[in-house]
Amino acid sequence: MDETQRSRTYGWTDPAAIAAHLGRRSGLDLIRAMAAGEVPAPPIMHTVGIAGMEAKEGWVGLELTPQEFHYNPLGSVHGGVISTLLDTAAACAVHTTLPAGVGYTSLDLNVKFVRPVTVATGRVRCEGTVLNRGRRTALAESRLTDAAGRLLAHGTSTCLIFDMP
């Protein structure tokens, strides 16, 4: 075996088990239950390695420790991983404002990469905040920072709000 080869194994819960909780409780209750481990986190959380989720109405915080498997060919965390963090924080912040029976989906995501993120950056924190919530759309922003509070990336997202079927 080539010494440069790495491997990674992880597991996740059937997404249908997670979907069964949607619409049955408020968004804030559902996000808090995920953070507490009472409801399984969606597979993307395990794929990327998102951890340390916290939530209050209109706000979500989460964390990630950059790993080699997040890297692009240039030796830094891939923009798609950073975008996933920003999208997750912004969209989950919107989710915390929704009553039971109401869902959402992202309409857009605008990302600005400010500083490179590497393993040497250490654990990063992403916080999402709802800026405006209307009847049918919500605007949220998310900020990715390092342990010193320096901005690494910034995102904005518009979410469509709808009644669950």
Side-chain angles (χ1 to χ4, degrees):
M1 182 172 165
D2 181 349
E3 291 178 14
T4 63
Q5 292 296 308
R6 311 278 200 272
S7 66
R8 176 177 183 231
T9 303
Y10 64 97
W12 63 92
T13 300
D14 178 352
I18 301 160
H21 293 275
L22 294 174
R24 299 184 187 278
R25 46 171 49 166
S26 74
L28 181 58
D29 287 345
L30 182 60
I31 296 291
R32 284 182 172 164
M34 280 184 194
E38 297 163 11
V39 171
I44 191 65
M45 304 279 279
H46 301 287
T47 300
V48 176
I50 297 170
M53 185 176 254
E54 304 172 69
K56 60 184 177 185
E57 187 167 345
W59 178 89
V60 165
L62 47 92
E63 297 179 341
L64 175 89
T65 301
Q67 304 291 324
E68 285 181 342
F69 58 79
H70 293 131
Y71 275 23
N72 61 28
L74 301 174
S76 61
V77 173
H78 191 281
V81 173
I82 293 169
S83 296
T84 299
L85 288 169
L86 295 166
D87 181 55
T88 300
C92 286
V94 170
H95 197 173
T96 66
T97 69
L98 303 179
V102 177
Y104 72 96
T105 190
S106 297
L107 290 173
D108 64 22
L109 178 66
N110 185 337
V111 174
K112 303 296 182 196
F113 303 105
V114 179
R115 289 186 172 83
V117 178
T118 67
V119 168
T121 304
R123 197 159 181 93
V124 296
R125 180 158 181 82
C126 193
E127 296 184 0
T129 305
V130 174
L131 299 175
N132 184 68
R133 175 157 174 257
R135 247 180 2 95
R136 292 289 166 215
T137 62
L139 175 65
E141 73 171 347
S142 47
R143 300 170 51 86
L144 183 68
T145 57
D146 65 12
R150 290 179 295 203
L151 184 65
L152 304 172
H154 180 266
T156 56
S157 178
T158 308
C159 292
L160 176 67
I161 300 169
F162 55 87
D163 292 332
M164 298 286 291

